[in-house]
Amino acid sequence: MESYNFILFLAVILLSTKLLGNISKKIHLPAVVGALIAGVILGPSVLNFISLEGDAGTFLEYTAEIGVILLMFNAGLGTEMEELKENMLASAVTALIGVLVPLIGGFLSYALYFKTDFSNYNELLKAFFVGVVLTATSVSITVETLREMGKLKGRVGTTILGAAVIDDILGVIILTVITSFKDPSVNAYSVGIKIILYFVFAISKCIPYLEKHDHHRRSAIYSLVFAFTLSYISETFFGVADITGAYFAGLMLCRSKVEPYVERRIEIPSYMFFSPVFFAAVGLKVQLGGMNTSTWIFSILLLIVAFLTKVIGCALGARCCGFQNKEALQIGIGMISRGEVALIVAQKGHQVGLLDHTLFAPIILVVIVTTILTPVLLKVSMQD
């Protein structure tokens, strides 16, 4: 019966993402690359076995949305605030320039290549959103590479970690502003004030309550309720991305006493079920067969811009803070990988109409290539 297709789809997705994820890890790549490729293979680009149309597709979309919320909540929970303190200035400057340069580079790439009419409000937002996607940094693969080389705790490794945390925060803020402007009735400044007031309330009321239930089963449930509620309020009442609320919910709990317990409990359903569905769903939306010559050329252009802007921006920031040229280059290379962070941003842009199918495939290619090449380039740059 067609109504039970979603069960078969889930089984195939979970199996394929696991198998290809394991293959990715064996060749020293993050499992997310394999999960993403699994979605591409199962979707319209290759086998066309699973579709996001119909009831089954709707179920997968909703499940993927829960997956991305849990991912961002976990990202907030896992934020190492102590890393920021050690190299705060260098990390902040590196992150700031490393966000601005890709933002401008992505905007100009889209605007010049597609000859954007700046008088067209929606096209202008699309150009900016391409830049927003390029600002993202996924530092997980860099962390693993540095750990293998025994250089995670060095000055370069610590600066990369700190910059990545600030990079994520800046990226979420920019994403919030851009998606807010998609609705002309939403005033981004009033949204910011309301969110700040809400966070003040949450910190003063919710976190103390959660800490009273440290290491109790209820604390994980209440924390998850907090994340979902903040996600809903952000999207429904403030007109900003639900993942923004989820990320800041985790960020507010990252230094609380309940954080270790909550993170362990939330990570299990996220890792086993919801996250694989999210990454596969992103791959299912890729339509490589529909890419023409113009789109392939733009994909190559965007890939070059993604590499150069991150390396130049972050290296310039590090150089301004006293790092030598070689160290600055290593920091820039360590920030190249876009990974799951860019996928989350791209997914949100697709939902609100800022990324159509024509642009979605080039973004996915940029994510895959940057994630694959970052560890290779980082190892080469750090050889004595």
Side-chain angles (χ1 to χ4, degrees), residues 161-194:
L161 287 174
V165 172
I166 299 174
D167 186 294
D168 285 346
I169 295 173
L170 291 175
V172 168
I173 292 173
I174 296 173
L175 173 65
T176 298
V177 173
I178 296 298
T179 53
S180 296
F181 282 133
K182 179 64 177 175
D183 182 357
S185 65
V186 176
N187 186 307
Y189 300 105
S190 64
V191 168
I193 293 173
K194 290 178 181 178

Side-chain angles (χ1 to χ4, degrees), residues 81-98 155 158-160 162-164 166-167 170 313-314 316-323 331:
M81 289 298 184
E82 296 303 321
E83 297 288 355
L84 295 180
K85 294 180 180 179
E86 294 184 20
N87 287 283
M88 176 61 76
L89 179 60
S91 296
V93 174
T94 299
L96 180 60
I97 301 179
R155 189 182 178 207
T158 302
T159 300
I160 290 175
I166 299 174
D167 186 294
L170 291 175
C314 293
L316 179 61
R319 193 71 183 89
C320 292
C321 295
F323 284 89
I331 291 173

Side-chain angles (χ1 to χ4, degrees), residues 104-364:
I104 296 171
F107 170 78
L108 291 177
S109 298
Y110 180 92
L112 295 177
Y113 188 81
F114 291 103
K115 299 177 181 179
T116 300
D117 179 9
F118 292 132
S119 63
N120 187 320
Y121 184 73
N122 286 329
E123 285 299 309
L124 189 63
L125 285 181
K126 287 182 180 180
F128 268 115
F129 194 81
V130 172
V132 173
V133 175
L134 295 192
T135 64
T137 294
S138 176
V139 77
S140 57
I141 184 63
T142 300
V143 168
E144 186 60 32
T145 304
L146 291 173
R147 183 180 290 115
E148 290 176 2
M149 299 175 68
K151 297 184 178 181
L152 182 60
K153 296 302 180 181
R155 189 182 178 207
V156 170
T158 302
T159 300
I160 290 175
L161 287 174
V165 172
I166 299 174
D167 186 294
D168 285 346
I169 295 173
L170 291 175
V172 168
I173 292 173
I174 296 173
L175 173 65
T176 298
V177 173
I178 296 298
T179 53
S180 296
F181 282 133
K182 179 64 177 175
D183 182 357
S185 65
V186 176
N187 186 307
Y189 300 105
S190 64
V191 168
I193 293 173
K194 290 178 181 178
I195 290 179
I196 290 173
L197 292 175
Y198 185 81
F199 286 162
V200 169
F201 169 79
I203 293 172
S204 62
K205 301 296 183 182
C206 297
I207 294 179
Y209 180 78
L210 289 171
E211 289 184 343
K212 291 180 181 178
H213 300 85
D214 188 22
H215 293 283
H216 287 275
R217 191 174 302 173
R218 291 186 299 273
S219 63
I221 296 174
Y222 292 153
S223 297
L224 189 58
V225 170
F226 178 50
F228 282 139
T229 302
L230 200 55
S231 298
Y232 175 79
I233 290 174
S234 297
E235 186 78 48
T236 305
F237 295 103
F238 299 121
V240 299
D242 51 2
I243 60 175
T244 303
Y247 181 76
F248 278 106
L251 202 62
M252 286 187 286
L253 292 172
C254 72
R255 298 192 68 181
S256 68
K257 291 187 294 183
V258 301
E259 184 275 325
Y261 178 82
V262 171
E263 187 174 14
R264 289 197 303 271
R265 294 299 182 270
I266 299 299
E267 190 176 16
I268 294 173
S270 176
Y271 168 78
M272 291 187 61
F273 183 74
F274 291 102
S275 293
V277 175
F278 165 69
F279 291 123
V282 172
L284 289 171
K285 293 179 181 179
V286 177
Q287 298 183 14
L288 296 177
M291 293 177 64
N292 53 31
T293 303
S294 177
T295 308
W296 278 108
I297 293 175
F298 179 69
S299 299
I300 296 173
L301 171 64
L302 196 63
L303 180 60
I304 294 173
V305 171
F307 267 94
L308 293 180
T309 54
K310 217 41 161 169
V311 172
I312 293 173
C314 293
L316 179 61
R319 193 71 183 89
C320 292
C321 295
F323 284 89
Q324 298 299 316
N325 289 334
K326 184 177 181 180
E327 292 176 325
L329 179 62
Q330 292 168 351
I331 291 173
I333 291 174
M335 298 286 285
I336 288 175
S337 177
R338 289 348 192 250
E340 69 278 4
V341 180
L343 294 180
I344 291 170
V345 175
Q347 167 79 353
K348 181 53 58 179
H350 188 270
Q351 287 180 343
V352 301
L354 290 174
L355 271 185
D356 54 27
H357 287 293
T358 304
L359 287 175
F360 204 72
I363 294 296
I364 300 303

